[in-house]
Coordinates of all heavy atoms in Angstrom, one line a residue:
H20 N -107.0 2.5 5.3 CA -106.7 1.4 4.4 C -107.9 1.1 3.5 O -108.8 0.4 3.9 CB -106.3 0.2 5.1 CG -105.6 -0.8 4.2 ND1 -104.3 -1.2 4.3 CD2 -106.1 -1.5 3.1 CE1 -104.0 -2.1 3.3 NE2 -105.1 -2.3 2.6
H22 N -109.0 0.9 -0.9 CA -108.5 1.0 -2.3 C -109.7 1.6 -3.1 O -110.8 1.3 -2.9 CB -108.2 -0.4 -2.8 CG -107.0 -1.0 -2.1 ND1 -105.7 -0.9 -2.5 CD2 -107.0 -1.8 -1.0 CE1 -104.9 -1.5 -1.6 NE2 -105.7 -2.1 -0.7
Q105 N -105.9 4.4 -1.5 CA -104.8 3.9 -2.3 C -105.2 3.7 -3.7 O -106.2 3.1 -4.0 CB -104.4 2.6 -1.7 CG -103.9 2.6 -0.3 CD -102.9 1.5 0.0 OE1 -102.3 0.9 -0.9 NE2 -102.8 1.3 1.3
H204 N -98.0 -2.8 1.9 CA -98.7 -4.0 2.4 C -97.6 -5.0 2.8 O -96.6 -5.1 2.0 CB -99.5 -4.7 1.3 CG -100.8 -4.0 1.0 ND1 -100.9 -2.7 0.5 CD2 -102.1 -4.4 1.1 CE1 -102.2 -2.4 0.3 NE2 -102.9 -3.4 0.7
H228 N -102.1 -4.3 6.7 CA -102.3 -5.6 7.4 C -101.2 -5.8 8.5 O -101.4 -5.4 9.6 CB -102.4 -6.8 6.4 CG -103.5 -6.6 5.4 ND1 -104.8 -6.6 5.7 CD2 -103.4 -6.3 4.1 CE1 -105.5 -6.4 4.6 NE2 -104.7 -6.2 3.6
D285 N -110.3 -2.0 3.7 CA -109.6 -2.6 2.5 C -110.5 -2.4 1.3 O -110.2 -1.5 0.5 CB -109.3 -4.0 2.8 CG -108.0 -4.5 2.1 OD1 -107.4 -3.7 1.3 OD2 -107.7 -5.7 2.2
D286 N -111.4 -3.3 1.0 CA -112.2 -3.3 -0.2 C -113.7 -3.5 0.2 O -114.2 -4.7 0.0 CB -111.8 -4.4 -1.1 CG -110.3 -4.1 -1.6 OD1 -110.1 -3.1 -2.2 OD2 -109.5 -5.0 -1.4
Ligands
ZN401 ZN1 -105.1 -3.4 0.9

Side-chain angles (χ1 to χ4, degrees):
H20 197 113
H22 298 270
Q105 299 206 18
H204 285 64
H228 304 291
D285 207 3
D286 297 304

